[in-house]
Amino acid sequence: MEVPLALIAELTHRCPLHCVYCSNPVQLASASAELSTQEWQSVFEQCARLGMLHVHLSGGEPLARQDVIELATIAHDVGLYTNLIPSGIGLSEQKLDAPVKSSLDHIQLSFQDSREADANSIAGTRAHALKLEVAKKVRETGLAFTINIVVHRKNIDHLDELIALAEALGPQRLEIAHTQYYGWAKENIDFLLPTRAQVVESMETIARAQKRLSGKLRIDAVAPDYYARYPKACMGGWGRRQMLIEPSGKALPCHAAAVIPGLKFDNVRQHPVEWIWSQSESFRKFRGEDWMLDPCRTCDRRVEDFGGCRCQAFMIAGSAERADPVCSLSPDHHLIELQLVRANSADRPVRNDRPVPAEPASHWIYRPQPI
């Protein structure tokens, strides 16, 4: 059994944004159910002993926690590389000064679009101008800095602008990721899934930027599952590389794992992190190859992609044991093809030099807030 490399610490589900592609679960944990400072300290200490190297302080909005800087300090002091993933709202100069002193190692900031009105529409609030100011302040701290862009039908035609925006803000790394259709993104898939022409053009745009900015800005890109020939090794494989702990302490192999019925996800309030990783039913369920059905069982790619995403298999094909339907070899691949037909036959403009009709807000299913 491999040692996990990273912990995704979802400190809270509270967030000032309402992003329509949010990967958080539809049912959000309340603030009153969140782990305490002392409970997170115990988690970080256990993770370090287990051999983890990184902790991603995420949410929701981790800055909604008054103890977020204290938590970053605790994680760093036990030997974890600390990455803060805020919305940017509320990240003041005073708070930016504190992370440097507390040895925060990295900040990752996301942008929803290059154009303010469109970015605010996707985020569900007026956030773009604030993010621009925060990005400048983050760069001045000298911390390692990544800008993340989640692309989809509504912003993919602005990709050149988004790359130029990131270049101007001066991060060391730009992550361009197509929307993954879990959580709220799955609810909004008909309005988010791009056309094939958009995807092809976006990959060409990224390739040109990678060549032009080589040695200046590292650009990592993740292609969209629905247009791939084979699935990716989701999260590096189920229970192989990462652990996610929700605000209330429930430990998961990935963001969406709770959608799979019949699995019990143990809580760090009742069980040690090491036991959950090595012995719990949920983390052991899809390790190895014993669970695999054909075509995965006899496919040479099973050691590379591990059958693809278990959550996607359940959500699309109705069974977490089946091959990921995005795989061209899957007997359920026709379900992906049907979704692509919908995406590519929609009567909507796909170029940014053509007029884009305004859509009423009722077309979106917005992510609500926890109580």
Side-chain angles (χ1 to χ4, degrees):
M1 182 186 65
E2 299 180 63
V3 173
L5 296 179
L7 169 68
I8 301 172
E10 290 193 335
L11 303 181
T12 181
H13 280 156
R14 290 172 284 160
C15 186
L17 306 185
H18 306 264
C19 299
V20 295
Y21 54 74
C22 184
S23 63
N24 281 145
V26 175
Q27 296 296 324
L28 302 174
S30 66
S32 62
E34 293 172 4
L35 296 179
S36 67
T37 306
Q38 292 72 30
E39 287 172 320
W40 275 117
Q41 178 173 354
S42 175
V43 167
F44 295 155
E45 291 170 347
Q46 292 178 65
C47 288
R49 288 196 298 269
L50 188 55
M52 290 193 194
L53 303 176
H54 303 258
V55 60
H56 304 283
L57 303 171
S58 180
E61 169 53 85
L63 292 171
R65 297 260 319 206
Q66 296 299 310
D67 60 351
V68 64
I69 302 304
E70 181 181 357
L71 291 175
T73 303
I74 291 168
H76 180 270
D77 287 348
V78 299
L80 297 173
Y81 182 93
T82 52
N83 176 30
L84 180 67
I85 310 177
S87 70
I89 298 176
L91 192 57
S92 63
E93 287 191 58
Q94 291 77 15
K95 286 185 177 179
L96 278 173
D97 287 341
V100 176
K101 296 174 183 176
S102 65
S103 300
L104 183 67
D105 296 297
H106 185 278
I107 291 181
Q108 178 175 313
L109 188 64
S110 64
F111 281 86
Q112 282 68 34
D113 206 319
S114 55
R115 305 178 183 186
E116 184 170 8
D118 294 333
N120 291 342
S121 175
I122 294 166
T125 191
R126 296 178 180 178
H128 186 70
L130 292 171
K131 285 174 176 283
L132 290 174
E133 291 303 313
V134 166
K136 294 173 185 176
K137 294 172 183 175
V138 170
R139 191 68 188 95
E140 291 170 0
T141 66
L143 289 171
F145 181 28
T146 291
I147 285 179
N148 171 268
I149 298 168
V150 179
V151 293
H152 43 76
R153 177 188 287 268
K154 301 301 179 183
N155 67 1
I156 195 170
D157 294 326
H158 306 163
L159 195 51
D160 270 325
E161 295 177 19
L162 280 159
I163 293 171
L165 173 64
E167 184 181 0
L169 292 173
Q172 291 85 27
R173 177 173 173 266
L174 171 61
E175 179 182 84
I176 302 172
H178 279 267
T179 298
Q180 302 296 301
Y181 294 101
Y182 315 112
W184 292 100
K186 187 67 168 65
E187 298 291 329
N188 284 310
I189 189 170
D190 285 339
F191 306 102
L192 293 174
L193 187 63
T195 66
R196 188 177 299 277
Q198 285 181 306
V199 170
V200 171
E201 185 170 346
S202 74
M203 300 311 289
E204 293 172 351
T205 297
I206 292 168
R208 289 194 300 270
Q210 287 174 323
K211 182 178 181 180
R212 178 175 64 83
L213 296 170
S214 177
K216 178 182 178 182
L217 174 63
R218 174 179 170 179
I219 301 178
D220 294 327
V222 178
D225 284 0
Y226 279 56
Y227 286 98
R229 185 178 180 187
Y230 300 113
K232 65 180 182 299
C234 187
M235 299 289 285
W238 181 279
R240 294 172 62 92
R241 295 290 183 181
Q242 300 188 69
M243 173 183 283
L244 181 145
I245 297 179
E246 289 190 338
S248 61
K250 186 165 61 176
L252 307 173
C254 71
H255 288 87
V259 303
I260 301 176
L263 282 182
K264 176 187 177 184
F265 297 98
D266 293 285
N267 196 297
V268 296
R269 284 175 164 145
Q270 284 82 47
H271 298 281
V273 170
E274 192 281 332
W275 181 89
I276 293 174
W277 178 259
S278 62
Q279 300 297 322
S280 69
E281 172 194 351
S282 59
F283 275 79
R284 297 173 60 188
K285 178 67 175 179
F286 298 111
R287 282 186 182 138
E289 301 176 8
D290 291 345
W291 61 270
M292 291 183 179
L293 306 174
D294 286 331
C296 296
R297 186 189 299 272
T298 55
C299 180
D300 290 340
R301 293 186 57 84
R302 70 187 184 279
V303 297
E304 299 177 35
D305 58 36
F306 312 109
C309 178
R310 298 301 87 225
C311 305
Q312 203 154 245
F314 170 74
M315 288 189 296
I316 298 172
S319 171
E321 284 77 19
R322 296 180 72 81
D324 188 334
V326 305
C327 181
S328 57
L329 304 177
S330 167
D332 302 304
H333 187 66
H334 65 283
L335 299 174
I336 295 293
E337 296 290 350
L338 288 173
Q339 185 66 60
L340 293 180
V341 167
R342 290 168 60 88
N344 287 278
S345 62
D347 184 21
R348 296 174 184 156
V350 297
R351 296 296 299 257
N352 60 4
D353 55 355
R354 295 171 60 186
V356 180
E359 293 185 350
S362 60
H363 282 201
W364 298 112
I365 302 175
Y366 279 105
R367 171 187 181 275
Q369 291 295 293
I371 300 172

